[in-house]
């Protein structure tokens, strides 16, 4: 395993995280993703800092920093991935709860 961190490797990791986040379903998520994709990472960070319980935005908030290839890039990617996983978990729990409520009503 090569320990050299390259922008190509980081972009592959970013794409994997974006895949887990999926298509944005709220206006906040659309705004955060559009800002991220346009390179406006400061706006994404602001959205993350003012929507503290939103894992989708939190995950994107980390990602801009990962693209700078610093010694902290691995940590930033890990935190972003954890937030993306938390988002996916919450989404699945909500969907399952709604399905159970419908089935049991």
């Amino acid at each position: 395993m090569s320990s050299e961190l390259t922008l190509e490797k980081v972009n592959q990791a970013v794409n994997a995280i974006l895949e887990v986040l999926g298509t944005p379903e709220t206006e906040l998520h659309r705004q955060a993703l559009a800002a991220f994709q346009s390179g406006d990472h400061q706006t994404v960070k602001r959205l993350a800092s003012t929507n503290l319980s939103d894992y989708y935005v939190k995950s994107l908030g980390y990602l801009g920093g990962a693209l700078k290839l610093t010694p902290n890039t691995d940590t930033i990617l890990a935190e972003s991935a954890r937030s993306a996983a938390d988002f996916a978990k919450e989404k699945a729990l909500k969907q399952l709860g709604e399905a159970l409520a419908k089935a049991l009503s």
Side-chain angles (χ1 to χ4, degrees):
M1 180 172 118
S2 172
S3 64
E4 181 185 353
L5 198 58
T6 65
L7 190 55
E8 180 182 351
K9 290 178 183 179
V10 170
N11 279 325
Q12 287 176 354
V14 167
N15 288 335
I17 292 167
L18 290 173
E19 189 174 315
V20 169
L21 290 175
T23 303
E25 297 176 358
T26 68
E27 183 55 36
L28 173 63
H29 295 175
R30 283 188 284 278
Q31 184 180 2
L33 183 60
F36 176 79
Q37 290 174 329
S38 71
D40 185 1
H41 304 297
Q42 188 59 44
T43 294
V44 181
K45 288 180 187 180
R46 178 64 51 86
L47 290 171
S49 71
T50 56
N51 296 278
L52 297 173
S53 64
D54 191 302
Y55 289 114
Y56 188 102
V57 178
K58 182 179 179 181
S59 179
L60 289 176
Y62 282 116
L63 282 183
L67 298 172
K68 296 176 186 171
L69 298 183
T70 70
N72 293 325
T73 298
D74 289 318
T75 302
I76 292 167
L77 287 170
E79 289 303 318
S80 179
R82 285 185 190 96
S83 293
D86 287 338
F87 171 75
K89 178 182 175 182
E90 280 193 350
K91 184 176 176 179
L93 288 171
K94 182 177 184 275
Q95 289 172 341
L96 287 169
E98 290 170 355
L100 289 174
K102 183 178 178 181
L104 301 175
S105 63

